[in-house]
Amino acid sequence: MSTVLLVLAHPNPDSLNGATATSIEKALTERGHEVRMKDLYRTGFDPILSFRDFGAWQEGKVPDDVAKEQQDIAWADALVFVYPIWWHERPAILKGWIDRTFTKGFAWDFDDTGRVGKLKGKKAFVAATYGSPESIYNELDVDMENLFSSVEKGTLAFCGIQETQFVDEFGVLMQERETNEKYLKRATEAAVAFLN
Ligand SMILES: Cc1cc2nc3c(=O)[nH]c(=O)nc-3n(C[C@H](O)[C@H](O)[C@H](O)COP(=O)(O)O)c2cc1C
């Protein structure tokens, strides 16, 4: 059984993404995993990396609110992220949570040999929805093979997290509710399989 930190980045818990996070939390808990749900819009965590973070970092410390988040990250065998795609990326609140919590010395470092991924051994699962259908991305000549590279490579692999899975759904603003419910089910089943 795993310890799972489930991070939701959506302002509305009743949205498709909110429902997906709730469904994943329930399914994982039912299978005996220990799940901590972190609904970023409700935790009150300030996602803006400000001057105080830099000051603390230079002194080799982190602010108390960051240290608290890092305890949850350190505790988890697996990180699960659930979010809508906003401007081709994670919502800013999630990006900011990562900016502030994946600090040098905690999540990564440099040594004589180069980069050290300090979150090595953890797994990460990502479920994300696109409002637009895939055809719009094709029209824009987007590299569909590397949609998640900033998350997969630039964040997770950089910090040593190699075992990852991404589940996504296009066109959620245009398609039938039943189709979106199928996505919710698919994402939940994939999360369960990933953590087994
Ligand atoms: C600020 C903002 C930016 C968005 N950017 C994108 C985008 O780049 N690509 C896309 O396909 N959809 C985009 N969308 C649509 C969201 O992805 C869509 O509303 C979401 O996936 C629907 O899930 P929900 O019902 O859980 O909110 C954007 C929506 C917002 C509010």
Side-chain angles (χ1 to χ4, degrees):
M1 292 305 112
S2 301
T3 48
V4 181
L5 185 64
L6 200 171
V7 183
L8 167 66
H10 199 291
N12 180 3
D14 296 327
S15 61
L16 175 59
N17 279 276
T20 302
T22 306
S23 168
I24 291 174
E25 179 189 24
K26 184 167 175 280
L28 293 180
T29 305
E30 279 169 5
R31 280 156 186 83
H33 299 292
E34 199 181 330
V35 184
R36 287 186 191 168
M37 168 80 101
K38 194 170 288 292
D39 178 342
L40 291 180
Y41 280 90
R42 271 150 207 91
T43 61
F45 180 76
D46 179 359
I48 296 177
L49 194 158
S50 63
F51 189 71
R52 77 197 146 139
D53 292 87
F54 277 116
W57 189 27
Q58 277 155 4
E59 292 164 27
K61 291 189 285 189
V62 291
D64 290 346
D65 61 340
V66 171
K68 204 163 148 272
E69 298 301 306
Q70 288 180 340
Q71 281 174 11
D72 285 335
I73 298 167
W75 164 85
D77 301 321
L79 306 175
V80 173
F81 297 99
V82 179
Y83 59 88
I85 297 295
W86 284 1
W87 293 115
H88 208 47
E89 249 296 351
R90 296 158 270 199
I93 199 168
L94 173 57
K95 176 66 166 45
W97 182 78
I98 291 169
D99 288 346
R100 292 198 64 215
T101 61
F102 282 29
T103 55
K104 181 176 184 295
F106 171 74
W108 61 277
D109 218 333
F110 290 131
D111 68 8
D112 298 344
T113 61
R115 176 184 56 84
V116 182
K118 300 196 79 163
L119 301 183
K120 196 172 170 185
K122 295 186 191 299
K123 302 163 75 165
F125 180 89
V126 174
T129 61
Y130 292 83
S132 310
E134 203 167 346
S135 55
I136 289 183
Y137 278 76
N138 291 327
E139 268 167 45
L140 293 168
D141 203 19
V142 169
D143 179 1
M144 301 304 277
E145 296 298 312
N146 289 303
L147 277 177
F148 286 100
S149 79
S150 64
V151 178
E152 184 176 15
K153 308 234 168 74
T155 303
L156 299 172
F158 185 86
C159 295
I161 302 180
Q162 297 292 350
E163 204 179 333
T164 57
Q165 188 177 344
F166 293 79
V167 174
D168 58 8
E169 179 79 357
F170 284 89
V172 300
L173 289 179
M174 299 167 83
Q175 64 198 14
E176 301 290 322
R177 199 177 145 188
E178 289 72 31
T179 315
N180 286 343
E181 277 167 7
K182 275 191 202 147
Y183 158 73
L184 181 154
K185 199 161 170 274
R186 180 166 63 85
T188 304
E189 285 169 1
V192 167
F194 182 67
L195 285 165
N196 266 343

